Amino acid sequence: MAKQRSHYVCSDCGTTTSQWVGKCPGCKKWNTLSEELIPDSGKRAHRHQSNSTSSKAKPLATVEVSTIPRLITGETELDRVLGSGVVPGSLILLGGEPGVGKSTLMLQVAFSVSATGHKILYVSGEESPEQVRMRASRLGEVPESLMILPETRVPLILQALEEDEYSLLVVDSVQTLDTPTIDGVPGSVSQIRESVASITSVAKTRGLPVFLVGHITKEGSIAGPKILEHMVDVVLQFEGDWNHAFRLLRAAKNRFGTTSELGIYEMLSGGLKAVENPSDVLLTEAGEPSSGSAIAVSLEGARPMLVEVQALVSTAVYGTPQRSGTTFDLRRLNMLLAVLEKRCGFKLGSFDVFLNMAGGMKIVDPANDLAVVAAILSSSLDLPLDRDVCFAGEVGLSGEIRPVPRLEARMAEASRLGMKRMLVSGHSKLPKSPKGLEVISVKRVSEVHSKIF
Ligand code: TYD
Ligand code: MG
């Protein structure tokens, strides 16, 4: 028998090389190449043949669009992020760190989908049925139509799909999938690729939506080849902070909707609970106002929310001052400090600056800049800001305060939460402010100080 040939595949980007090298020529990462046997060319030819019937060009306008409606999962935050429900036949990859609550979220989805009379197949490759049952009983009464299959072998999973009519398939997790005809251990590039490919073809032909749970690596990307992200329709990221109960759900890729929507959950003893009014939980308890804290009116997707920014400016103990922001982009922080120094003469060169967002949320909106500047000023002067003043403005390099989108919605949210004053950019026309909210326009960063203290 002829010796089977092998090649080396990068576990990150899927680049193949004929010889082992330390650094992947594709993504330039180190130590990501591993050896794999090249699949038999006979099998490949067979695969081409079996597909040949469907590959005929036809006018795009004549392509029938499926009229099957989207499957509303009933998990409001998830539905929002997906853009009103799951598209039939779509593959959704849910990535997140261990323990963030991926399996819990999937079970909750299974619960609420089955409540509408659908049958669900939950494939668990990581936990035994007893373990899943134990978690499920914390979430409520376990529905009859939720089927569990402790299996990792793809052909057997596909066979189970043949045996009954399911409306949803959940695979927890994709790294445990095993296609016996392909060489390599579960979790390897070729295994993941082949397993997902066979599940995809079944999902597409039957219009079956599939959730795939995926682990993420230390760097935060989904473990396994990058090509996995290309193979699926939606990539969701579930993230959270260990010290907080909040969990954020975002779409990193969405073929059927936007990627700017954000879902917020809170992990409680009875499972994940949707946070409908994020501002209520993102603001710390009102009490004695303390210096260094300012409220930003942020926008995530379509939702405005009030977030508390906390800064601490203190004399640097060591030679090099520290700048630290666990939930804020450090480069942006350095930029804002440089603007404060250059445009306001505020010398922070010999001070440590720490910055945080209450609730441990990573909210990336340039409109937070103004609140960050206010929090830094407040901490370094040790002057607390009033609890009813809030900010929404982007800071430019020349110290100008730039307007931010959807100001009207932000104002409405600020007013709803009892804010009395809101600082915004004076460079654009202001919408009518809600009753009880005084809108103060500022044009330059140097004006902020006199308006708030
Ligand atoms: P899990 O869904 O197992 O996470 P993953 O699948 O992402 O690894 O969630 C595990 C954590 O969630 C665990 O630390 C316990 C916690 N948890 C709760 O706080 N409340 C609950 O009702 C459940 C089911 C889990
Ligand atoms: Mg899990």
Side-chain angles (χ1 to χ4, degrees):
M1 201 178 111
K3 187 175 172 286
Q4 216 180 344
R5 290 187 307 133
S6 67
H7 58 185
Y8 294 84
V9 186
C10 170
S11 61
D12 208 68
C13 67
T15 299
T16 53
T17 58
S18 56
Q19 277 190 325
W20 189 85
V21 281
K23 188 179 180 180
C24 169
C27 62
K28 307 279 184 276
K29 292 215 171 121
W30 289 92
N31 271 336
T32 52
L33 288 150
S34 57
E35 185 174 14
E36 273 178 20
L37 293 179
I38 298 175
D40 210 348
S41 56
K43 277 186 208 157
R44 290 189 66 82
H46 175 74
R47 211 159 66 178
H48 281 291
Q49 252 170 23
S50 63
N51 282 347
S52 59
T53 46
S54 60
S55 51
K56 233 181 167 178
K58 57 180 170 184
L60 182 60
T62 64
V63 175
E64 296 264 340
V65 177
S66 141
T67 48
I68 312 170
R70 288 190 180 207
L71 176 73
I72 302 295
T73 67
E75 273 294 327
T76 48
E77 298 295 292
L78 176 68
D79 285 335
R80 176 210 307 283
V81 175
L82 292 174
S84 72
V86 186
V87 173
S90 64
L91 261 82
I92 300 162
L93 179 64
L94 174 70
E97 286 189 22
V100 72
K102 300 180 294 297
S103 306
T104 308
L105 181 64
M106 285 298 99
L107 263 186
Q108 285 186 211
V109 167
F111 269 49
S112 61
V113 170
S114 65
T116 49
H118 293 286
K119 201 158 189 178
I120 292 127
L121 183 63
Y122 191 106
V123 176
S124 174
E126 288 185 352
E127 293 168 302
S128 67
E130 293 80 30
Q131 284 174 306
V132 179
R133 172 68 226 239
M134 256 157 54
R135 175 171 317 106
S137 27
R138 290 175 74 176
L139 305 175
E141 202 188 320
V142 185
E144 293 270 311
S145 56
L146 169 55
M147 310 298 280
I148 177 119
L149 178 69
E151 187 55 71
T152 57
R153 287 162 294 178
V154 176
L156 297 179
I157 296 171
L158 298 182
Q159 193 185 327
L161 284 175
E162 291 285 333
E163 284 164 4
D164 216 330
E165 188 74 18
Y166 291 103
S167 307
L168 182 70
L169 169 68
V170 177
V171 179
D172 189 0
S173 69
V174 70
Q175 276 91 3
T176 60
L177 289 179
D178 183 9
T179 301
T181 49
I182 295 289
D183 199 67
V185 291
S188 66
V189 183
S190 53
Q191 279 292 344
I192 292 184
R193 195 170 43 201
E194 279 306 311
S195 305
V196 173
S198 19
I199 291 178
T200 308
S201 71
V202 172
K204 298 282 174 218
T205 48
R206 295 195 179 190
L208 173 76
V210 182
F211 277 100
L212 301 168
V213 172
H215 293 174
I216 62 168
T217 60
K218 265 197 286 198
E219 291 81 38
S221 59
I222 292 178
K226 198 90 191 137
I227 40 173
L228 179 58
E229 294 183 28
H230 292 294
M231 290 169 86
V232 299
D233 301 297
V234 181
V235 179
L236 298 178
Q237 282 166 349
F238 205 27
E239 45 194 68
D241 183 325
W242 279 121
N243 307 319
H244 300 89
F246 299 118
R247 303 283 185 266
L248 302 189
L249 185 69
R250 305 174 194 271
K253 161 182 174 178
N254 191 353
R255 282 189 184 149
F256 314 111
T258 147
T259 53
S260 61
E261 277 300 342
L262 173 78
I264 307 179
Y265 282 100
E266 195 174 1
M267 182 63 98
L268 301 174
S269 59
L272 291 157
K273 189 173 160 285
V275 174
E276 265 137 40
N277 285 319
S279 311
D280 298 347
V281 292
L282 292 184
L283 293 183
T284 51
E285 286 295 307
E288 273 299 291
S290 57
S291 66
S293 135
I295 296 166
V297 191
S298 260
L299 201 67
E300 271 289 341
R303 272 197 301 186
M305 55 183 81
L306 267 59
V307 192
E308 185 164 334
V309 178
Q310 292 172 326
L312 181 69
V313 179
S314 67
T315 319
V317 185
Y318 305 107
T320 324
Q322 291 187 63
R323 270 92 177 81
S324 149
T326 44
T327 49
F328 192 78
D329 183 16
L330 265 190
R331 276 171 302 183
R332 188 115 202 138
L333 175 61
N334 282 326
M335 187 278 268
L336 292 175
L337 292 173
V339 169
L340 273 177
E341 173 153 352
K342 189 93 181 165
R343 309 290 168 198
C344 310
F346 224 80
K347 298 262 185 290
L348 292 166
S350 58
F351 290 93
D352 288 340
V353 180
F354 304 97
L355 198 78
N356 227 338
M357 303 265 184
M361 297 234 183
K362 228 182 226 142
I363 291 177
V364 199
D365 180 357
N368 294 345
D369 288 355
L370 198 51
V372 171
V373 165
I376 292 171
L377 288 177
S378 161
S379 175
S380 58
L381 300 169
D382 202 17
L383 286 174
L385 287 164
D386 291 335
R387 293 288 308 178
D388 55 9
V389 54
C390 59
F391 305 84
E394 184 182 342
V395 174
L397 283 182
S398 60
E400 81 278 17
I401 310 288
R402 297 218 198 108
V404 294
R406 311 222 15 241
L407 194 56
E408 204 163 350
R410 295 180 202 248
M411 286 180 176
E413 179 73 358
S415 162
R416 189 181 75 79
L417 283 140
M419 292 291 137
K420 297 276 184 295
R421 286 183 295 151
M422 179 163 168
L423 266 76
V424 301
S425 162
H427 287 289
S428 69
K429 202 170 157 288
L430 295 182
K432 196 171 166 295
S433 60
K435 225 172 141 216
L437 182 75
E438 183 194 351
V439 176
I440 304 165
S441 57
V442 277
K443 288 201 161 149
R444 306 201 56 77
V445 122
S446 48
E447 294 168 33
V448 174
H449 179 266
S450 62
K451 302 265 178 173
I452 53 174
F453 296 116

